[in-house]
Structures are given as structure tokens and as C-alpha cells.
Amino acid sequence: MEYAEGSTLYLFLLFLGWAVGGWLLVRRTFVLHRHERVLVGFAFGVITATWLTNLLAQVIPASYAFWLGPLFLLVTGMALSLPLDVGTLLREFKAALPYLICLGILVYIFTKVGQGLAIFDEFQTIPLVSLLAAGNVPPNFVLNPEIHFGYHYFLLLSAAQIMRLGNVFPWTALDLARSIILASTLLLGYLWAYRITKRTLVGWLTAIFLAFATGVRWLLLLLPGSLVRSVSESVQLIGSGAVSANSLQQAITSSWAIEGDGPFPFPFVFADGISHPFTMTYNGIGMTAVLILLLLLLTADRRRNIAGSILLVITISALALANEVTFGLIYLGFLGVVVVRLFQERSLKLPASMLPWIGILFTAGIIALLQGGMFTEIARSYVGRYSGQATESFYSNEFTVVWIPEVISIHLGRLVLSNPAHLLVATLEMGPILIVLPFVAWMGWRAIKRGNWYQAMFWMSGLVSLGAMFVVYTGSAGISSTTRILEGFINVCKLGFVPLLWVWSQNKKQFFRIGLAALGVAAILGGVIHFGISLTAAAKPAYTFFINDMDVKMLANNWNRFEPGALVFDPDPVRGVTVLGRYSFSSTTWGQTRKEWDQLLVAPDPYALRQAGFSYIYHDIGYWEQLTPQYQEALAHPCAQTVDRTDGYRSEKDFSKDYRVLLDIRSCLP
């Protein structure tokens, strides 16, 4: 590619900065075992450097911020580690080498699989990576720069760093960033389970469980047909579920209708609308939030000094930018811990050991209001409302309280737990991890009594998350977003499933141990099947469903070439944003276009487009053929100067002639 100053060497230096900087930092700030330091340090490096980059990119050019974030981390780690004991460092590296090899293998596998899939939110995430890499930090709405976009863009910013410094395409950068986070999460899950049980087997079983655990919707295949028919009649499919089939009974023997899947379709019956396998999190969040939760579990109660507290502040504020729901649940978990502690002691006096956590959470909360993302947009909306200078924001945050508990499945809709059919389906969707609920409560109670405040917050956040059964999100993101609240409970149970049940079952009869093993196998079956199908996509890499070879050539030649603030007109708006790294001005939401845009789409006069604020036009032959001769002639006006053009075919199956053309209309002045 030719569009940026990056290279493979620069990408290697970025990874080295994350790994070495984080390693040197954690070994002087936390009390960790030798075999833990390198992996924990690498994960902290990714989180801390990206957090620093986010702040820097808002005040200096992104090309500098993407370097200064990891460089500052590396310099700080080296400064805290002076004088360096090379012998000790080599011994630590040797102890961690098997894990690093495993990390590399997992990253390679997950990246290869990701390159063959273009599922879920790629129409939203890929253009955001392109805009972030071009320096739009924090980003506004991809299709309307006048609308503030309170989005959890932490993972996408990591991908943007990889894109800019490694000189790779945005979809490749996102696949790589997501794979690094996922692989790190699984290995930290191993470290945490091993610390609890001192068993290597339990560690690896935990990593496997985290990778594949999901619900057991597939058990519907084994139930009597009359029961399945009765359940199906009471369930209203939504989202991709409604696209897949007309009823649940039909859906369980159908393919999952999602765009951008691989050579073989996914069976709908092995999917899940509540508890997704970690290996199927192809969205804009990935496993970043769970990685941060594990980092805090491994380090929060092992601080050596004030530097450890500062690192916790950074990590928790990064969580607000990675997944605002998980961030909020941690704070609610802390509030629940305080209430339980006061009840235990029958006193309003808080223990002195809790006070540092009040300071850490307060500081991280203030940063969350200023750093970008959802909480910053919430703060902005309140300030604007009371100052009389309200600005338009993309997401609205509205909830409805329900008095009969229900859960929301993104495939099966609202499942009211007072309805026996809904209760059955909801139980299958959440899966065997439900049996860990009593252990979660017990672990939280024990952590509070022992004064292990972060662990107490963690377990309590899972219990607080169950409050999602009494609210329904009715804002602009749709009711399926309610499921994200319940994910707090789901993820806490997944993290605790193997190690907690292993400890509990040690003195139990073999019958119990075999039963628990069977439940574990049942929980991972759907995830294993879907991952196996995903593997077939690794042999056939794809860009993404709205990009083809001609767009790739255009991106390589023209990405981020043009003046900041320029708008691009493309009949397929997310395509133009991705290719050029510049905003469009087409829509008010993902599904609602502007009236002015609709008019320009059928009458693309270059003078009218220029007057509407556009500087460039990017289109294909299909759009050209839809236009009347009048507007075909208008696009050929001399003021619309051709910047670049690529020719090719419409698709791998359609060899009709096609092209992409990029026009500069800045000279088309009224």
C-alpha cells in the first residue's frame, strides 16, 4: 500500500512497545508471579498505550499520537525499572516464553479466520477505523460529522494504530487488533484459573471454556415436536432471527441469515441471542472489556505503590471507552459492596482499606467524562441542555421499567420469565453457566469479608447485572441493546464456571464431577461448531461485504490524501468513508438518510453537490447507469476533475465491466 508512512517494521515496534513497556511497568507496580509478568504486562501495554494515544490524538496530530502513546509507556516502564537486572528479565522471559508462543499461534489463527468473515457490524466498524486512523479522535457519526457519536471505540482505536503504523487495510487492522485482544483474554483467563486452583489443567480448561461457551439452544432439536411447536408459537423472532426464518421451529433447522459469512453458513440452532462465544465477538467491542476485568482481577489487590493505583485509574477509565455498560456495572458493583459491608458491620464507617478505591473510582469517573465515548457524550448533552447550547448526539439513552422479569434475546425478542415457554427458551439461551450463580454470590460475600475490594466489586457487578431483567432499553440503538447489560452477569459466570466448580467438586462424588463435565461440554458445543465453520473462511480471505478489488486500489492510492474536513459523496456512503478516510453527509442514523441527500442522489449536479458541502464524488458504473442522460452529462462537466479511476468486474461471479472513479468538484463553484 502507498497511502501512509507505515511499514511492517513500524508495526513490530508498536507491538514491542506494548509488550516491553507494559512488562517493565507491571513488574515494578504489582506483586505478580514470575510466569505472569510478561503476559499481564503485554495486556496492560495494549490498554495503557491505547488510552494514552486517545488523549494525545485529541490535542496533537494522530501521526504523532500513535507513536507517542506506546513510546511514553516504554520510557515510563524503563524509568521505573532502573537499574535493569538483565538476568532477572531473561528468567522472566524464559518462564513466559511458552505462553508467548501460544499467544502468537492464537493471534495468527483468529486473524486468519477473521479475514475470511465480514459479519455483524462491519458497515459501522470498518469506516470508523479508517476515520480514526486519519486522525478523527474522538470520531463523530460516520455519515454525518455534525452528529456526536458516543461510541465505545477503544478497540477500533487500537486497530487504527495498527492501520496507520503498519500500513495495512482497515479490515485487516481490525481483525488483527481483535485477535490480539481475544488471545490475550484467553491466556489471562488461564493465568487467573491457575492462580485459584494451582492446576495447569484447570487453566487450559478455563481458556477453552471462555473461547467457546454459549447457550444450549440446540437442545430444542431433542425436545418433542409438539413442545417445540408450542414454544415457537409464543416467541417473536427479531433481527437476524426474523430474517433467518418465519418461526423458531423453522429457524432451528435453517441457516443463520447474516451478511458476510464464509463458504458455509452457520446453523441458527447453534447460535445464541444472549450468551455469545468469545470467538464470535466480531463487533466493535470484541473482548476488550473482559480483558480489562481479568487484568484487574490479577492485579488490583496486589499494588506495590502509588504507580499501581495510577495504572488502575488508567485501566478503569479505559474500560469506559471500551464498554460503557461494563464500566457502569463495576461502579454499581462497588455501591453494592458498600451497602453489604455496612450491613455486615452494622456501622456507617467504611474501612480504611476501601478509601483508596473510592479515590481510584472517582478519578477514573472524572476521566471517563472527558476522554470521549458514551459518558463524554452524556456529559456533553447535560451541559448543553442547561447552557442552552445543546448539540445533536447519535444515541439516546432511554429505559422502560418492567415489573415482570424478562430477558431480551437479539434473535428471539422479549422473553417474559412468567411465561413457561419463554422461561424455557431463556434458560437454554443463557445455558449451563446459570448454575454458577450461587457461587458468584458466595465469592462476592467472601471477598467483602476479607476486604478484597476489587474482587468483591467484580462478583457484585455480575449480580447487579441481573437487574437487566427489570428494564428494557428503548433508545435509538433498539431493544436488543438491553442484552449488553445482562452480559455482565454472563461474563462473570463464564469466568468463574471452571475454576469455581472445580474447587467445589473436589470432595464430591464422581457422579457430580461427571455431571459438571457434561454441562461444560454442552456449553461449548455450539461455540465449537461455529468456530469449526468459521475456520473454513480462513482459506478464502475477504475484504468486507461493501469493498472489492477496485475499492482496495483506490484506498491504496487515495486514503487520507485530501484536506481534513472534506466531505465525500458516494451512493454507498460507508464505502466512500472507508476508502478516503473522510466523512460523508448522508444520514441522521444508520437507517435514515437526509432529504437533501436523497435529492442529490437522483440529481447529482456537481454544482449542487459542492454547494451542499461535498468536495469529492466517488461512484461506480452501476450508479452511473441509473442516472438520466442529463446528470450523466453533469458529472462529466470539466469542473469535476478526475483524480483517479480503476477498472474491473462487478464481482467474482459477474464479469460485467465496472469501474470506480474519484472526482474533485472543488472547482464547481456556484
PDB file of all heavy atoms in Angstrom, residues 290-318:
ATOM      1  N   VAL A 290     -13.666  -7.746  28.829  1.00  0.00           N
ATOM      2  CA  VAL A 290     -13.326  -8.931  29.629  1.00  0.00           C
ATOM      3  C   VAL A 290     -11.823  -8.967  29.899  1.00  0.00           C
ATOM      4  O   VAL A 290     -11.384  -9.353  30.992  1.00  0.00           O
ATOM      5  CB  VAL A 290     -13.790 -10.211  28.916  1.00  0.00           C
ATOM      6  CG1 VAL A 290     -13.389 -11.446  29.717  1.00  0.00           C
ATOM      7  CG2 VAL A 290     -15.297 -10.195  28.711  1.00  0.00           C
ATOM      8  N   LEU A 291     -11.023  -8.552  28.924  1.00  0.00           N
ATOM      9  CA  LEU A 291      -9.572  -8.479  29.152  1.00  0.00           C
ATOM     10  C   LEU A 291      -9.256  -7.539  30.304  1.00  0.00           C
ATOM     11  O   LEU A 291      -8.430  -7.848  31.177  1.00  0.00           O
ATOM     12  CB  LEU A 291      -8.876  -7.999  27.873  1.00  0.00           C
ATOM     13  CG  LEU A 291      -7.361  -7.790  27.976  1.00  0.00           C
ATOM     14  CD1 LEU A 291      -6.647  -9.117  28.250  1.00  0.00           C
ATOM     15  CD2 LEU A 291      -6.810  -7.156  26.700  1.00  0.00           C
ATOM     16  N   ILE A 292      -9.915  -6.395  30.332  1.00  0.00           N
ATOM     17  CA  ILE A 292      -9.682  -5.436  31.418  1.00  0.00           C
ATOM     18  C   ILE A 292     -10.145  -6.003  32.757  1.00  0.00           C
ATOM     19  O   ILE A 292      -9.467  -5.842  33.784  1.00  0.00           O
ATOM     20  CB  ILE A 292     -10.380  -4.097  31.092  1.00  0.00           C
ATOM     21  CG1 ILE A 292      -9.678  -3.411  29.917  1.00  0.00           C
ATOM     22  CG2 ILE A 292     -10.389  -3.176  32.316  1.00  0.00           C
ATOM     23  CD1 ILE A 292     -10.357  -2.156  29.418  1.00  0.00           C
ATOM     24  N   LEU A 293     -11.286  -6.681  32.775  1.00  0.00           N
ATOM     25  CA  LEU A 293     -11.748  -7.306  34.020  1.00  0.00           C
ATOM     26  C   LEU A 293     -10.729  -8.305  34.545  1.00  0.00           C
ATOM     27  O   LEU A 293     -10.455  -8.366  35.754  1.00  0.00           O
ATOM     28  CB  LEU A 293     -13.089  -8.007  33.789  1.00  0.00           C
ATOM     29  CG  LEU A 293     -14.302  -7.122  33.495  1.00  0.00           C
ATOM     30  CD1 LEU A 293     -15.532  -7.984  33.234  1.00  0.00           C
ATOM     31  CD2 LEU A 293     -14.567  -6.145  34.627  1.00  0.00           C
ATOM     32  N   LEU A 294     -10.141  -9.100  33.654  1.00  0.00           N
ATOM     33  CA  LEU A 294      -9.130 -10.080  34.071  1.00  0.00           C
ATOM     34  C   LEU A 294      -7.860  -9.401  34.549  1.00  0.00           C
ATOM     35  O   LEU A 294      -7.238  -9.839  35.530  1.00  0.00           O
ATOM     36  CB  LEU A 294      -8.831 -11.023  32.913  1.00  0.00           C
ATOM     37  CG  LEU A 294      -9.853 -12.139  32.688  1.00  0.00           C
ATOM     38  CD1 LEU A 294      -9.655 -12.794  31.333  1.00  0.00           C
ATOM     39  CD2 LEU A 294      -9.762 -13.179  33.802  1.00  0.00           C
ATOM     40  N   LEU A 295      -7.449  -8.338  33.865  1.00  0.00           N
ATOM     41  CA  LEU A 295      -6.272  -7.589  34.321  1.00  0.00           C
ATOM     42  C   LEU A 295      -6.472  -7.089  35.744  1.00  0.00           C
ATOM     43  O   LEU A 295      -5.567  -7.181  36.586  1.00  0.00           O
ATOM     44  CB  LEU A 295      -6.013  -6.404  33.388  1.00  0.00           C
ATOM     45  CG  LEU A 295      -5.262  -6.688  32.100  1.00  0.00           C
ATOM     46  CD1 LEU A 295      -5.211  -5.428  31.233  1.00  0.00           C
ATOM     47  CD2 LEU A 295      -3.848  -7.171  32.388  1.00  0.00           C
ATOM     48  N   LEU A 296      -7.652  -6.572  36.010  1.00  0.00           N
ATOM     49  CA  LEU A 296      -7.926  -6.062  37.353  1.00  0.00           C
ATOM     50  C   LEU A 296      -8.008  -7.198  38.374  1.00  0.00           C
ATOM     51  O   LEU A 296      -7.557  -7.052  39.516  1.00  0.00           O
ATOM     52  CB  LEU A 296      -9.227  -5.255  37.331  1.00  0.00           C
ATOM     53  CG  LEU A 296      -9.171  -3.964  36.501  1.00  0.00           C
ATOM     54  CD1 LEU A 296     -10.559  -3.362  36.349  1.00  0.00           C
ATOM     55  CD2 LEU A 296      -8.226  -2.954  37.120  1.00  0.00           C
ATOM     56  N   LEU A 297      -8.564  -8.340  37.984  1.00  0.00           N
ATOM     57  CA  LEU A 297      -8.603  -9.487  38.897  1.00  0.00           C
ATOM     58  C   LEU A 297      -7.199  -9.936  39.287  1.00  0.00           C
ATOM     59  O   LEU A 297      -6.948 -10.329  40.433  1.00  0.00           O
ATOM     60  CB  LEU A 297      -9.349 -10.650  38.249  1.00  0.00           C
ATOM     61  CG  LEU A 297     -10.875 -10.608  38.292  1.00  0.00           C
ATOM     62  CD1 LEU A 297     -11.457 -11.724  37.433  1.00  0.00           C
ATOM     63  CD2 LEU A 297     -11.389 -10.731  39.724  1.00  0.00           C
ATOM     64  N   LEU A 298      -6.276  -9.878  38.333  1.00  0.00           N
ATOM     65  CA  LEU A 298      -4.913 -10.353  38.571  1.00  0.00           C
ATOM     66  C   LEU A 298      -4.047  -9.343  39.316  1.00  0.00           C
ATOM     67  O   LEU A 298      -3.024  -9.723  39.896  1.00  0.00           O
ATOM     68  CB  LEU A 298      -4.249 -10.706  37.235  1.00  0.00           C
ATOM     69  CG  LEU A 298      -4.771 -11.973  36.536  1.00  0.00           C
ATOM     70  CD1 LEU A 298      -4.321 -12.014  35.083  1.00  0.00           C
ATOM     71  CD2 LEU A 298      -4.298 -13.219  37.274  1.00  0.00           C
ATOM     72  N   THR A 299      -4.426  -8.071  39.304  1.00  0.00           N
ATOM     73  CA  THR A 299      -3.510  -7.045  39.828  1.00  0.00           C
ATOM     74  C   THR A 299      -4.103  -6.111  40.870  1.00  0.00           C
ATOM     75  O   THR A 299      -3.348  -5.523  41.653  1.00  0.00           O
ATOM     76  CB  THR A 299      -2.990  -6.167  38.669  1.00  0.00           C
ATOM     77  OG1 THR A 299      -4.094  -5.489  38.047  1.00  0.00           O
ATOM     78  CG2 THR A 299      -2.261  -6.998  37.628  1.00  0.00           C
ATOM     79  N   ALA A 300      -5.417  -5.928  40.896  1.00  0.00           N
ATOM     80  CA  ALA A 300      -5.999  -4.823  41.661  1.00  0.00           C
ATOM     81  C   ALA A 300      -5.652  -4.862  43.144  1.00  0.00           C
ATOM     82  O   ALA A 300      -5.441  -3.811  43.766  1.00  0.00           O
ATOM     83  CB  ALA A 300      -7.517  -4.809  41.481  1.00  0.00           C
ATOM     84  N   ASP A 301      -5.604  -6.042  43.741  1.00  0.00           N
ATOM     85  CA  ASP A 301      -5.313  -6.150  45.173  1.00  0.00           C
ATOM     86  C   ASP A 301      -3.848  -6.482  45.431  1.00  0.00           C
ATOM     87  O   ASP A 301      -3.486  -6.942  46.519  1.00  0.00           O
ATOM     88  CB  ASP A 301      -6.215  -7.218  45.807  1.00  0.00           C
ATOM     89  CG  ASP A 301      -7.687  -6.825  45.735  1.00  0.00           C
ATOM     90  OD1 ASP A 301      -7.977  -5.636  45.926  1.00  0.00           O
ATOM     91  OD2 ASP A 301      -8.527  -7.708  45.474  1.00  0.00           O
ATOM     92  N   ARG A 302      -2.980  -6.229  44.427  1.00  0.00           N
ATOM     93  CA  ARG A 302      -1.551  -6.547  44.565  1.00  0.00           C
ATOM     94  C   ARG A 302      -0.684  -5.342  44.221  1.00  0.00           C
ATOM     95  O   ARG A 302       0.392  -5.479  43.659  1.00  0.00           O
ATOM     96  CB  ARG A 302      -1.192  -7.733  43.666  1.00  0.00           C
ATOM     97  CG  ARG A 302      -1.859  -9.036  44.106  1.00  0.00           C
ATOM     98  CD  ARG A 302      -1.521 -10.177  43.186  1.00  0.00           C
ATOM     99  NE  ARG A 302      -1.989 -11.444  43.731  1.00  0.00           N
ATOM    100  CZ  ARG A 302      -1.228 -12.512  43.927  1.00  0.00           C
ATOM    101  NH1 ARG A 302       0.060 -12.480  43.621  1.00  0.00           N
ATOM    102  NH2 ARG A 302      -1.732 -13.625  44.410  1.00  0.00           N
ATOM    103  N   ARG A 303      -1.157  -4.152  44.537  1.00  0.00           N
ATOM    104  CA  ARG A 303      -0.407  -2.929  44.223  1.00  0.00           C
ATOM    105  C   ARG A 303       0.811  -2.802  45.125  1.00  0.00           C
ATOM    106  O   ARG A 303       0.730  -3.031  46.329  1.00  0.00           O
ATOM    107  CB  ARG A 303      -1.294  -1.692  44.388  1.00  0.00           C
ATOM    108  CG  ARG A 303      -2.573  -1.760  43.582  1.00  0.00           C
ATOM    109  CD  ARG A 303      -3.339  -0.453  43.608  1.00  0.00           C
ATOM    110  NE  ARG A 303      -3.747  -0.038  44.936  1.00  0.00           N
ATOM    111  CZ  ARG A 303      -4.805  -0.499  45.578  1.00  0.00           C
ATOM    112  NH1 ARG A 303      -5.556  -1.443  45.037  1.00  0.00           N
ATOM    113  NH2 ARG A 303      -5.130  -0.042  46.769  1.00  0.00           N
ATOM    114  N   ARG A 304       1.932  -2.419  44.521  1.00  0.00           N
ATOM    115  CA  ARG A 304       3.157  -2.163  45.293  1.00  0.00           C
ATOM    116  C   ARG A 304       3.210  -0.725  45.797  1.00  0.00           C
ATOM    117  O   ARG A 304       3.724  -0.458  46.883  1.00  0.00           O
ATOM    118  CB  ARG A 304       4.395  -2.390  44.421  1.00  0.00           C
ATOM    119  CG  ARG A 304       4.712  -3.830  44.068  1.00  0.00           C
ATOM    120  CD  ARG A 304       5.989  -3.869  43.260  1.00  0.00           C
ATOM    121  NE  ARG A 304       6.322  -5.196  42.788  1.00  0.00           N
ATOM    122  CZ  ARG A 304       7.055  -6.078  43.467  1.00  0.00           C
ATOM    123  NH1 ARG A 304       7.513  -5.752  44.669  1.00  0.00           N
ATOM    124  NH2 ARG A 304       7.318  -7.265  42.959  1.00  0.00           N
ATOM    125  N   ASN A 305       2.718   0.226  45.002  1.00  0.00           N
ATOM    126  CA  ASN A 305       2.956   1.641  45.266  1.00  0.00           C
ATOM    127  C   ASN A 305       1.888   2.487  44.587  1.00  0.00           C
ATOM    128  O   ASN A 305       0.936   1.965  43.994  1.00  0.00           O
ATOM    129  CB  ASN A 305       4.354   2.031  44.757  1.00  0.00           C
ATOM    130  CG  ASN A 305       4.624   1.452  43.367  1.00  0.00           C
ATOM    131  OD1 ASN A 305       3.749   1.463  42.501  1.00  0.00           O
ATOM    132  ND2 ASN A 305       5.829   0.923  43.157  1.00  0.00           N
ATOM    133  N   ILE A 306       2.077   3.805  44.646  1.00  0.00           N
ATOM    134  CA  ILE A 306       1.117   4.733  44.052  1.00  0.00           C
ATOM    135  C   ILE A 306       1.039   4.558  42.544  1.00  0.00           C
ATOM    136  O   ILE A 306      -0.012   4.788  41.930  1.00  0.00           O
ATOM    137  CB  ILE A 306       1.492   6.197  44.418  1.00  0.00           C
ATOM    138  CG1 ILE A 306       0.386   7.160  43.967  1.00  0.00           C
ATOM    139  CG2 ILE A 306       2.829   6.572  43.789  1.00  0.00           C
ATOM    140  CD1 ILE A 306      -0.942   6.961  44.647  1.00  0.00           C
ATOM    141  N   ALA A 307       2.140   4.109  41.920  1.00  0.00           N
ATOM    142  CA  ALA A 307       2.125   3.881  40.471  1.00  0.00           C
ATOM    143  C   ALA A 307       1.111   2.809  40.107  1.00  0.00           C
ATOM    144  O   ALA A 307       0.463   2.876  39.054  1.00  0.00           O
ATOM    145  CB  ALA A 307       3.514   3.489  39.979  1.00  0.00           C
ATOM    146  N   GLY A 308       0.956   1.806  40.981  1.00  0.00           N
ATOM    147  CA  GLY A 308      -0.045   0.775  40.741  1.00  0.00           C
ATOM    148  C   GLY A 308      -1.452   1.356  40.754  1.00  0.00           C
ATOM    149  O   GLY A 308      -2.298   0.977  39.931  1.00  0.00           O
ATOM    150  N   SER A 309      -1.704   2.277  41.682  1.00  0.00           N
ATOM    151  CA  SER A 309      -3.022   2.918  41.734  1.00  0.00           C
ATOM    152  C   SER A 309      -3.274   3.754  40.488  1.00  0.00           C
ATOM    153  O   SER A 309      -4.391   3.778  39.948  1.00  0.00           O
ATOM    154  CB  SER A 309      -3.122   3.793  42.990  1.00  0.00           C
ATOM    155  OG  SER A 309      -3.027   2.999  44.161  1.00  0.00           O
ATOM    156  N   ILE A 310      -2.239   4.458  40.013  1.00  0.00           N
ATOM    157  CA  ILE A 310      -2.384   5.256  38.791  1.00  0.00           C
ATOM    158  C   ILE A 310      -2.697   4.355  37.602  1.00  0.00           C
ATOM    159  O   ILE A 310      -3.552   4.682  36.759  1.00  0.00           O
ATOM    160  CB  ILE A 310      -1.106   6.077  38.532  1.00  0.00           C
ATOM    161  CG1 ILE A 310      -0.923   7.128  39.635  1.00  0.00           C
ATOM    162  CG2 ILE A 310      -1.140   6.737  37.158  1.00  0.00           C
ATOM    163  CD1 ILE A 310       0.398   7.859  39.569  1.00  0.00           C
ATOM    164  N   LEU A 311      -2.035   3.210  37.551  1.00  0.00           N
ATOM    165  CA  LEU A 311      -2.288   2.275  36.450  1.00  0.00           C
ATOM    166  C   LEU A 311      -3.715   1.728  36.519  1.00  0.00           C
ATOM    167  O   LEU A 311      -4.359   1.517  35.479  1.00  0.00           O
ATOM    168  CB  LEU A 311      -1.279   1.135  36.505  1.00  0.00           C
ATOM    169  CG  LEU A 311      -1.005   0.380  35.196  1.00  0.00           C
ATOM    170  CD1 LEU A 311      -0.636   1.333  34.081  1.00  0.00           C
ATOM    171  CD2 LEU A 311       0.094  -0.648  35.397  1.00  0.00           C
ATOM    172  N   LEU A 312      -4.230   1.524  37.717  1.00  0.00           N
ATOM    173  CA  LEU A 312      -5.610   1.077  37.851  1.00  0.00           C
ATOM    174  C   LEU A 312      -6.584   2.162  37.391  1.00  0.00           C
ATOM    175  O   LEU A 312      -7.608   1.863  36.761  1.00  0.00           O
ATOM    176  CB  LEU A 312      -5.904   0.690  39.298  1.00  0.00           C
ATOM    177  CG  LEU A 312      -5.184  -0.544  39.846  1.00  0.00           C
ATOM    178  CD1 LEU A 312      -5.634  -0.832  41.270  1.00  0.00           C
ATOM    179  CD2 LEU A 312      -5.434  -1.762  38.966  1.00  0.00           C
ATOM    180  N   VAL A 313      -6.289   3.412  37.699  1.00  0.00           N
ATOM    181  CA  VAL A 313      -7.131   4.524  37.233  1.00  0.00           C
ATOM    182  C   VAL A 313      -7.191   4.531  35.712  1.00  0.00           C
ATOM    183  O   VAL A 313      -8.263   4.660  35.098  1.00  0.00           O
ATOM    184  CB  VAL A 313      -6.599   5.877  37.761  1.00  0.00           C
ATOM    185  CG1 VAL A 313      -7.286   7.044  37.043  1.00  0.00           C
ATOM    186  CG2 VAL A 313      -6.816   5.989  39.255  1.00  0.00           C
ATOM    187  N   ILE A 314      -6.030   4.380  35.078  1.00  0.00           N
ATOM    188  CA  ILE A 314      -5.974   4.362  33.613  1.00  0.00           C
ATOM    189  C   ILE A 314      -6.789   3.196  33.066  1.00  0.00           C
ATOM    190  O   ILE A 314      -7.566   3.347  32.113  1.00  0.00           O
ATOM    191  CB  ILE A 314      -4.511   4.273  33.140  1.00  0.00           C
ATOM    192  CG1 ILE A 314      -3.773   5.576  33.459  1.00  0.00           C
ATOM    193  CG2 ILE A 314      -4.435   3.956  31.654  1.00  0.00           C
ATOM    194  CD1 ILE A 314      -2.281   5.518  33.181  1.00  0.00           C
ATOM    195  N   THR A 315      -6.623   2.031  33.665  1.00  0.00           N
ATOM    196  CA  THR A 315      -7.288   0.831  33.157  1.00  0.00           C
ATOM    197  C   THR A 315      -8.801   0.926  33.306  1.00  0.00           C
ATOM    198  O   THR A 315      -9.554   0.555  32.395  1.00  0.00           O
ATOM    199  CB  THR A 315      -6.761  -0.414  33.886  1.00  0.00           C
ATOM    200  OG1 THR A 315      -5.338  -0.445  33.794  1.00  0.00           O
ATOM    201  CG2 THR A 315      -7.323  -1.681  33.283  1.00  0.00           C
ATOM    202  N   ILE A 316      -9.266   1.418  34.441  1.00  0.00           N
ATOM    203  CA  ILE A 316     -10.710   1.532  34.654  1.00  0.00           C
ATOM    204  C   ILE A 316     -11.308   2.605  33.752  1.00  0.00           C
ATOM    205  O   ILE A 316     -12.402   2.422  33.198  1.00  0.00           O
ATOM    206  CB  ILE A 316     -11.010   1.813  36.138  1.00  0.00           C
ATOM    207  CG1 ILE A 316     -10.615   0.596  36.987  1.00  0.00           C
ATOM    208  CG2 ILE A 316     -12.485   2.134  36.346  1.00  0.00           C
ATOM    209  CD1 ILE A 316     -10.684   0.824  38.474  1.00  0.00           C
ATOM    210  N   SER A 317     -10.615   3.722  33.568  1.00  0.00           N
ATOM    211  CA  SER A 317     -11.130   4.745  32.643  1.00  0.00           C
ATOM    212  C   SER A 317     -11.100   4.233  31.205  1.00  0.00           C
ATOM    213  O   SER A 317     -11.968   4.582  30.394  1.00  0.00           O
ATOM    214  CB  SER A 317     -10.340   6.050  32.778  1.00  0.00           C
ATOM    215  OG  SER A 317      -8.958   5.843  32.559  1.00  0.00           O
ATOM    216  N   ALA A 318     -10.118   3.384  30.862  1.00  0.00           N
ATOM    217  CA  ALA A 318     -10.109   2.756  29.533  1.00  0.00           C
ATOM    218  C   ALA A 318     -11.328   1.862  29.359  1.00  0.00           C
ATOM    219  O   ALA A 318     -11.875   1.747  28.256  1.00  0.00           O
ATOM    220  CB  ALA A 318      -8.825   1.950  29.342  1.00  0.00           C
TER     221      ALA A 318
END
